[in-house]
Amino acid sequence: MKIDLAGKRVWVAGHRGLVGSALLRRLQGEGCALLTASHAQVDLTRQDRTEEWMGDTRPQVVFVAAATVGGIHANNTRPAEFIHNNLAIANNIIHAAHRLGVEKLLYMGSSCIYPRLAPQPIPEDALLTGCLEPTNEFYAVSKIAGIKLCTAYRRQYGCDFISAQPTNLYGPGDNFDLTQSHVIPALIAKFHQAVTTGADHVMVWGSGTPRREFLHVDDLADALVFLMRHYEGDSHINVGTGTDVTIRELAETVGRVVGFQGELRFDASKPDGTPRKLLNVDRLNALGWRYRVGLEEGLRRTYQWFLANLDSLRG
Ligand code: GDP
């Protein structure tokens, strides 16, 4: 089975975000009519507005990349926004897609849906087998609901709705705000600042021992288009590289890329989060997809983008 995107009205929900903007870049040249909706045009947390906009524009294919997202601190301090906005967005889009007969929909979850102490690398069927990581459980619960919505609408109504669980993402268009961001943009901004000011050390949150897997967002966009074309099934699919690094190793690599030669210091007052989060990507590999951008190369590209966009990032 292969869905042809050419000539289709394809909606990228969340097109201004890290993933949505990468999807727009990836879909250029596929011959589809790309649909986007700014927040001013439609508030996706409102069922009436979402149905009205989708009814007017009639997307045939939908990528759900719209979400309230953030790093460990943002998740810890804004739990109500994370659970409410993400539940509403998933519920509204998926239900409207069913009512309006959308041909295919891909919902994006997150690797934090898995239990905190899941077997590593984490297989898809580890979902709902244990307790979630407390620093992001509200976000995780909303993402699990999104995945289950896809499964439920497939089972009851035969909708071709699928879901993908990306590992930790990074790349151009990321959020570099130190209190809200994930670790890679935070470290890029901190090391850049240290080089610019001549500081002799950089503070890294936590112990440096947690392990994380990182995927460049252009690879993710390619995988999502691949799944949209080639995958049809009940189970969500993990998307990652299959390799991980410690936060200390990551910080050393970012330091090398940015040209920082000082000392790393670890701030034990900040949370480590889950000890390890590495996805088992055997299913995705068996379908025929593999990542291309290695971590150091991806960090170089992201730092280039950061330098080229410093003015707008300063806001
Ligand atoms: P997580 O994967 O959901 O835990 O999200 P993050 O990307 O925010 O954090 C990953 C790991 O990087 C955690 O162990 C953090 O404590 C660690 N970390 C180290 N320095 C930083 C930093 O400056 N910002 C963030 N967000 N995380 C950091």
Side-chain angles (χ1 to χ4, degrees):
M1 144 251 351
K2 185 169 154 107
I3 293 239
D4 195 358
L5 297 177
K8 295 259 160 71
R9 288 186 303 282
V10 178
W11 177 29
V12 177
H15 69 286
R16 293 231 168 100
L18 174 67
V19 174
S21 55
L23 272 168
L24 284 191
R25 290 195 295 278
R26 174 62 187 77
L27 288 165
Q28 304 289 339
E30 289 293 325
C32 42
L34 286 171
L35 303 175
T36 57
S38 67
H39 190 75
Q41 279 172 291
V42 49
D43 177 353
L44 297 173
T45 65
R46 296 277 307 270
Q47 177 81 51
D48 52 349
R49 299 284 155 77
T50 307
E51 281 209 21
E52 190 180 274
W53 187 84
M54 288 176 71
D56 289 345
T57 53
R58 291 276 163 178
Q60 294 163 293
V61 173
V62 178
F63 289 90
V64 186
T68 294
V69 296
I72 196 163
H73 178 74
N75 267 277
N76 237 345
T77 51
R78 296 165 45 212
E81 281 173 70
F82 277 80
I83 193 165
H84 169 264
N85 294 355
N86 292 316
L87 277 174
I89 291 169
N91 203 38
N92 295 345
I93 298 181
I94 292 169
H95 186 65
H98 155 58
R99 286 179 55 134
L100 295 166
V102 164
E103 285 171 36
K104 184 138 191 174
L105 175 146
L106 185 151
Y107 176 78
M108 239 203 25
S110 157
S111 56
C112 67
I113 58 164
Y114 292 116
R116 172 183 161 79
L117 298 177
Q120 306 283 330
I122 312 172
E124 283 86 353
D125 57 16
L127 185 64
L128 293 175
T129 56
C131 293
L132 296 166
E133 157 61 33
T135 53
N136 53 29
E137 71 172 316
F138 299 96
Y139 178 70
V141 164
S142 70
K143 287 288 166 183
I144 293 170
I147 296 164
K148 292 296 179 188
L149 278 164
C150 291
T151 309
Y153 279 72
R154 171 180 293 280
R155 287 207 193 145
Q156 186 171 345
Y157 304 121
C159 300
D160 191 358
F161 297 171
I162 59 172
S163 62
Q165 314 318 309
T167 192
N168 287 34
L169 302 169
Y170 70 100
D174 211 336
N175 176 358
F176 288 83
D177 173 322
L178 288 183
T179 59
Q180 303 299 314
S181 70
H182 287 101
V183 59
I184 287 185
L187 292 183
I188 288 178
K190 284 186 195 174
F191 281 107
H192 177 77
Q193 168 86 357
V195 168
T196 316
T197 59
D200 64 351
H201 70 275
V202 162
M203 293 304 290
V204 179
W205 290 0
S207 63
T209 58
R211 301 188 69 92
R212 293 288 185 277
E213 175 189 20
F214 297 101
L215 181 70
H216 192 278
V217 73
D218 286 342
D219 270 339
L220 174 76
D222 191 61
L224 297 182
V225 171
F226 175 88
L227 288 170
M228 188 64 106
R229 284 218 176 94
H230 298 279
Y231 180 69
E232 186 184 63
D234 227 21
S235 169
H236 53 283
I237 299 286
N238 288 343
V239 183
T241 63
T243 55
D244 62 356
V245 291
T246 64
I247 295 301
R248 176 188 285 277
E249 286 163 344
L250 172 72
E252 288 166 356
T253 313
V254 174
R256 204 158 49 238
V257 165
V258 176
F260 173 74
Q261 293 179 340
E263 185 198 343
L264 297 181
R265 290 193 195 155
F266 291 89
D267 178 357
S269 72
K270 295 286 194 301
D272 267 344
T274 194
R276 192 174 187 200
K277 208 166 26 169
L278 173 65
L279 295 179
N280 179 322
V281 288
D282 289 352
R283 281 196 193 167
L284 182 62
N285 290 166
L287 288 166
W289 189 91
R290 265 174 201 284
Y291 82 103
R292 292 199 195 99
V293 185
L295 181 59
E296 189 148 347
E297 164 62 17
L299 289 173
R300 277 185 207 290
R301 287 200 216 166
T302 308
Y303 186 47
Q304 289 308 318
W305 184 91
F306 172 84
L307 290 176
N309 290 275
L310 260 181
D311 288 343
S312 57
L313 290 170
R314 282 197 191 103

